[in-house]
Amino acid sequence: MEQNVQYAQKTGLRYGLELGTAAVLFVAAMAIREPLANGAGSASPLVLALPVVPLWLMFVAIWRHYLRVDEFQRLQFLKVTALAAGIGLFALASLPFLGGFGVPREAGDVLWLVIPVGWVVSLAVVNLNRAR
Amino acid sequence: MYNTIRDLRGQRGLTQAQLADQLGVSRQTVIAVEQGKYDPSLPLAFAIARLFQLPVEEIFRPDGP
């Protein structure tokens, strides 16, 4: 029994740690990038592209978690991921039309909000659906 | 799909976690299968049948009890 609980805990912990580290790196990269991007315009493209690295680290963390879990968890995880991706995609596609309401037109300005909110909404929807 | 896993597990005095351990899946998966909220893959269904030493069709049925 303990073996199973320990494995589940370890899997969840590892996923949280990997995703959390990538998220912290993303925030740090954005913090470094923003003053440079809004500055004189002489910032290196490499520095400006810095947030791309933690973004893909998040993807790697998600993929590694997908490979670790069993078939039922994988199905649930895929549902959450697909729904979150859909929410994110449509939210970002809506941006250019909402500029009149003061919504930023650049995806990079709202990505930090769209991804976690989309994920939380998807988790809630999939878990509510499963509970029925 | 209806299944008799909960009864079989009870007869053998196994907890959900012990069954999950023996099948190499999470307790979450065992709960979902027992409650009929998830139909397992064929490999998992055969692993369950092997564990309880019963034919698959005796454990899983397309209709109710």
Side-chain angles (χ1 to χ4, degrees):
Chain A
M1 184 170 93
E2 278 180 11
Q3 215 179 2
N4 195 285
V5 174
Q6 274 177 4
Y7 180 74
Q9 281 174 345
K10 264 187 196 170
T11 305
L13 193 70
R14 208 177 297 172
Y15 176 51
L17 199 68
E18 288 178 7
L19 196 64
T21 306
V24 167
L25 285 174
F26 177 71
V27 172
M30 287 298 278
I32 293 169
R33 181 193 184 273
E34 281 311 299
L36 294 169
N38 298 327
S42 58
S44 152
L46 270 178
V47 176
L48 295 178
L50 217 54
V52 172
V53 178
L55 271 179
W56 280 95
L57 283 178
M58 281 184 207
F59 175 79
V60 171
I62 291 166
W63 180 247
R64 280 167 56 84
H65 184 65
Y66 170 82
L67 293 177
R68 274 193 294 258
V69 293
D70 70 27
E71 59 179 59
F72 171 70
Q73 292 173 315
R74 196 170 281 182
L75 186 69
Q76 296 300 308
F77 190 64
L78 278 179
K79 283 182 190 171
V80 172
T81 310
L83 203 55
I87 290 171
L89 182 71
F90 281 94
L92 293 180
S94 305
L95 287 183
F97 308 105
L98 300 172
F101 296 99
V103 177
R105 285 168 191 268
E106 292 292 324
D109 294 337
V110 290
L111 212 57
W112 61 272
L113 185 67
V114 168
I115 291 177
V117 168
W119 208 269
V120 169
V121 170
S122 308
L123 266 174
V125 169
V126 170
N127 282 325
L128 273 175
N129 210 25
R130 195 177 65 196
R132 276 185 203 153
Chain B
M1 186 165 281
Y2 172 78
N3 71 71
T4 55
I5 295 174
R6 191 192 295 261
D7 295 337
L8 292 168
R9 181 174 61 75
Q11 285 165 16
R12 283 155 180 81
L14 289 169
T15 64
Q16 288 173 330
Q18 285 168 338
L19 179 60
D21 265 346
Q22 293 188 24
L23 293 170
V25 297
S26 66
R27 187 169 158 257
Q28 196 186 4
T29 301
V30 169
I31 293 168
V33 173
E34 275 192 3
Q35 291 179 346
K37 287 178 178 166
Y38 173 65
D39 292 331
S41 64
L42 275 175
L44 181 55
F46 276 98
I48 293 167
R50 205 176 307 122
L51 189 91
F52 290 124
Q53 294 178 319
L54 288 167
V56 175
E57 63 270 25
E58 263 189 50
I59 301 174
F60 297 95
R61 291 173 210 146
D63 47 358

